[in-house]
Amino acid sequence: MTRSFGHEHPGAMGFLTDATLCIGCKACEVACKQWNELPADGDAALSARSYDNTGDLGATTWRHVAFIERVATDEAPFAWLMLSDVCKHCVHAGCMEACPTGAIVRTEFDSIFIQPDICNGCGYCVPACPFGVPQLDQDDGRVHKCTLCYDRLRGGLQPACATACPTDSILFGPVTELRSIGRSRVESLKERGVQKASLYGDTSLGGTNGIGGLNAMFVLNDEPELFNLPAAPSLPQRTTGPAFLATLLSGACFALLGAAAFRATKRGED
Amino acid sequence: MPKKPLDDRIRDSPRPHAPPIHRSHWGWLVVAYFFLGGIAGGAQVIAALAALVGGKKSAGVARLARYVSFAAFLPCPPLLILDLGRPERFLHMLRVVKLRSPMSVGSWTLVAFGGVAALATLDQAAADHILPRGMLTRRRGWWSPLTAVTGLPLGLGLAGYTGVLLAATAVPLWTKRGLLLGPLFLASALSTAAAAIDATAIATGQRHRGWAPLRRFERLTLLAETLLMAAWLGRLGRAGLPLASGPLALWVHHGVAGLGLAVPAVLGALAPHLPPKLRITASAVALSSTLFGGFVLRWVLVVGGNRSADDAGATFEMTARPSTERKQGN
Ligand code: SF4
Ligand code: SF4
């Protein structure tokens, strides 16, 4: 899917990351760190419990290859689940709506980008992301996450991770195209007996309850929770309006209570 | 082997990676801000009510309330700025107005509130002949009623938006019954503000019979806080786990409910039957108890929220698909 993305309205671009094709080589992690000049996470030791050395998405890890040992059940045998996790570039992004500085913007590629010269490190986007993506960098005092390689896209290149992936587990392209690729992949997986196969990132799974879908989608071969992904998350800011209203109403009640309390003396005084 | 429910499979699999959402970095700076901002906002509300409907008898309450409000407000901006990863960029908070972002709404509210609180304080200081006579302070001008009329909504906004700010996140403890957080913060802000004003009155020897309305209001807000707290805690489910067990549970029971709500209520009921000398002591104990409880409430909310963010089960309980859908293997 090589093409120039430098023009003004390229449409929504995103990822399709296929867990069934991931071999856990971590080329995406490395390519991401190299291109974006991100430091290594400590020494390259494996975490004690798995072949996972970065552990989580974070301020300096924008692709994270999860290694999950799926325990055996009567439905499915033991298996390794591998998935390269990344920012979902939500259609309605909790991080962006939360950001009080306007540092987080939607680009012409419909990706979600944190402008490093604007972010003041308030950290509000961190708990406002339903997927645990952005994180405050204690060293430079700002929040960082995947940029969908905005600089590369501007130059007509694909994101570094997608370029590096040797199995095409990570595809980059127009979201509509990726979605149909993902759907047919899920169909064919189901035909081959992977009953739990699903496309994570449409409005019925992953991009639910106000999020409106994800521009970075995933093909999963088991329950999303096993991949550490919430099945039906909500856009946090759907609460803002009702919560302000509830606060306002209770505020009016308190003001009336207070007025009654203070009024009583005035009458006594008259 | 029977089919394991999803929860067990998640628990059983050696999950090398972190919880599904990231916790906030907020700690004691934000807790202190929530507490002091609540007092500042609440005291401005009380000042406005006392001035607008309280008449001459409540002028003393309004007067102290203005000073207490401004004094509580002063440390707020520094606390918030210190909490930023890039403190020198604090003005970026005022680059944009975003009504869907409670932090944006709150930043603007704080600025407007600061202006009104400062004006109200200058005005009061002029009336008290503390300030030398000058342009602004010559006489109580048009800004006097203006500070009351604007201070009321701005005070309510400052005291309540923090609850909305927590509710509009992905953190289980903050979102589960998020609609109650704003009202709960408001109730606690008003009760701690009333206590702070009353305590200042006792400390400066100004409390007398005319202060009955403030104490009445204090009792009403404590009652509201008790009801809201019970309603909020009652149905948190797994999201409330950090507050239901472990050390935070002790703080909720003894700090928030015991010292913050029960002790002031009992002492308030006993006070009329006590000899006058003991009465002041009882009041002082009740007031410090209220203030302490209000602080602990903010603290358990912030720390408990961070802990619930670490609990994958709490997040997954809230984000589970309706069970019918899952059975169909969607
Ligand atoms: S996944 Fe999180 S960080 Fe990425 S766009 Fe969505 S809300 Fe923002
Ligand atoms: S930390 Fe930066 S990007 Fe995140 S909400 Fe605050 S200002 Fe915006």
Side-chain angles (χ1 to χ4, degrees):
Chain A
M1 265 175 258
T2 317
R3 60 190 251 189
S4 174
F5 308 111
H7 47 89
E8 217 173 300
H9 295 292
M13 302 302 244
F15 287 127
L16 178 68
T17 308
D18 190 336
T20 64
L21 297 179
C22 181
I23 55 171
C25 70
K26 301 181 193 174
C28 52
E29 275 190 24
V30 175
C32 175
K33 280 185 183 282
Q34 279 188 331
W35 178 261
N36 294 299
E37 300 184 321
L38 300 172
D41 303 275
D43 43 9
L46 302 177
S47 74
R49 298 154 76 199
S50 173
Y51 293 109
D52 181 332
N53 62 310
T54 46
D56 188 14
L57 289 173
T60 55
T61 303
W62 302 347
R63 271 272 177 196
H64 163 239
V65 181
F67 284 67
I68 299 145
E69 286 115 291
R70 182 180 72 186
V71 294
T73 60
D74 52 353
E75 278 185 1
F78 172 87
W80 280 101
L81 304 179
M82 289 162 210
L83 179 72
S84 177
D85 197 8
V86 70
C87 168
K88 316 315 181 261
H89 295 283
C90 307
V91 171
H92 296 291
C95 64
M96 187 173 92
E97 296 209 359
C99 179
T101 65
I104 307 187
V105 293
R106 184 177 301 285
T107 72
E108 66 270 38
F109 306 103
D110 257 10
S111 58
I112 304 293
F113 180 72
I114 305 181
Q115 304 173 82
D117 53 332
I118 306 293
C119 172
N120 65 8
C122 74
Y124 190 33
C125 53
V126 174
C129 166
F131 306 97
V133 175
Q135 197 158 49
L136 192 61
D137 187 329
Q138 297 298 340
D139 290 331
D140 86 346
R142 293 173 300 189
V143 164
H144 300 283
K145 69 165 191 73
C146 162
T147 66
L148 202 76
C149 276
Y150 181 67
D151 47 354
R152 289 175 64 97
L153 264 54
R154 292 285 300 185
L157 295 170
Q158 293 206 11
C161 56
T163 313
C165 179
T167 65
D168 270 356
S169 169
I170 301 177
L171 290 181
F172 171 80
V175 169
T176 44
E177 262 172 56
L178 294 178
R179 188 171 293 125
S180 55
I181 295 175
R183 287 211 177 110
S184 48
R185 175 70 181 162
V186 167
E187 281 320 302
S188 101
L189 283 169
K190 280 190 171 162
E191 271 163 30
R192 285 187 264 167
V194 188
Q195 281 314 315
K196 293 231 151 118
S198 62
L199 180 66
Y200 184 87
D202 59 19
T203 49
S204 65
L205 186 68
T208 48
N209 303 321
I211 296 172
L214 310 175
N215 286 353
M217 292 162 283
F218 300 85
V219 172
L220 306 179
N221 52 352
D222 207 324
E223 300 285 354
E225 281 91 346
L226 281 181
F227 294 91
N228 224 17
L229 296 168
S234 310
L235 181 68
Q237 288 74 23
R238 288 219 301 191
T239 319
T240 309
F244 265 131
L245 198 68
T247 309
L248 216 74
L249 285 178
S250 70
C253 294
F254 284 123
L256 287 177
L257 271 183
F262 281 101
R263 186 84 197 171
T265 30
K266 199 179 186 182
R267 227 185 283 124
E269 171 191 67
D270 291 343
Chain B
M1 196 163 66
K3 184 185 177 226
K4 290 194 171 201
L6 182 65
D7 243 2
D8 286 343
R9 294 168 59 203
I10 290 172
R11 209 171 302 129
D12 288 355
S13 52
R15 291 154 54 78
H17 43 295
I21 61 166
H22 284 159
R23 52 150 71 198
S24 79
H25 74 276
W26 298 326
W28 71 269
L29 286 172
V30 166
V31 172
Y33 164 68
F34 282 180
F35 178 68
L36 290 174
I39 292 183
Q44 202 62 230
V45 170
I46 292 171
L49 288 171
L52 291 174
V53 295
K56 274 207 196 88
K57 260 199 175 161
S58 293
V61 175
R63 176 175 166 275
L64 262 197
R66 292 195 185 103
Y67 288 139
V68 166
S69 173
F70 192 58
F73 164 80
L74 278 179
C76 290
L79 283 172
L80 288 178
I81 290 170
L82 276 179
D83 190 63
L84 296 176
R86 287 287 179 100
E88 76 281 7
R89 292 184 176 178
F90 71 94
L91 275 177
H92 287 196
M93 288 294 185
L94 307 181
R95 278 180 81 241
V96 289
V97 179
K98 289 169 82 173
L99 295 181
R100 287 256 277 186
S101 164
M103 196 180 279
S104 175
V105 174
S107 303
W108 287 103
T109 306
L110 189 71
V111 170
F113 179 90
V116 168
L119 201 58
T121 305
L122 282 180
D123 181 39
Q124 186 64 53
D128 291 345
H129 304 292
I130 295 174
L131 283 184
R133 287 164 184 273
M135 267 271 288
L136 176 73
T137 59
R138 196 159 46 231
R139 63 193 158 79
R140 306 202 82 165
W142 49 268
W143 53 82
S144 204
L146 184 80
T147 55
V149 171
T150 52
L152 182 67
L154 284 172
L156 288 170
L158 184 69
Y161 92 87
T162 41
V164 181
L165 183 145
L166 294 185
T169 62
V171 175
L173 181 70
W174 297 338
T175 49
K176 184 66 186 276
R177 308 267 288 153
L179 290 189
L180 286 176
L181 276 191
L184 180 61
F185 269 58
L186 256 187
S188 168
L190 289 166
S191 69
T192 48
I197 297 165
D198 210 352
T200 314
I202 292 180
T204 55
Q206 299 178 45
R207 199 199 206 203
H208 50 82
R209 286 174 59 92
W211 289 69
L214 181 68
R215 285 198 293 274
R216 210 160 31 226
F217 188 51
E218 205 180 309
R219 281 198 298 276
L220 285 173
T221 52
L222 272 176
L223 180 68
E225 193 182 338
T226 310
L227 296 177
L228 284 165
M229 188 74 193
W232 180 70
L233 275 176
R235 292 176 54 198
L236 283 174
R238 174 94 178 230
L241 206 60
L243 303 189
S245 62
L248 283 186
L250 290 180
W251 283 102
V252 171
H253 287 144
H254 302 299
V256 180
L259 282 173
L261 299 171
V263 168
V266 171
L267 285 179
L270 279 181
H273 311 291
L274 294 173
K277 261 192 195 156
L278 266 183
R279 223 176 277 169
I280 284 287
T281 318
S283 291
V285 171
L287 295 174
S288 7
S289 193
T290 304
L291 288 169
F292 182 75
F295 186 86
V296 176
L297 173 65
R298 307 314 201 290
W299 181 74
V300 293
L301 260 159
V302 171
V303 176
N306 286 340
R307 293 200 185 158
S308 87
D310 292 344
D311 178 7
T315 295
F316 289 150
E317 184 184 270
M318 292 191 62
T319 59
R321 276 173 291 178
S323 51
T324 47
E325 227 177 89
R326 194 187 297 152
K327 269 185 212 123
Q328 288 160 8
N330 255 349

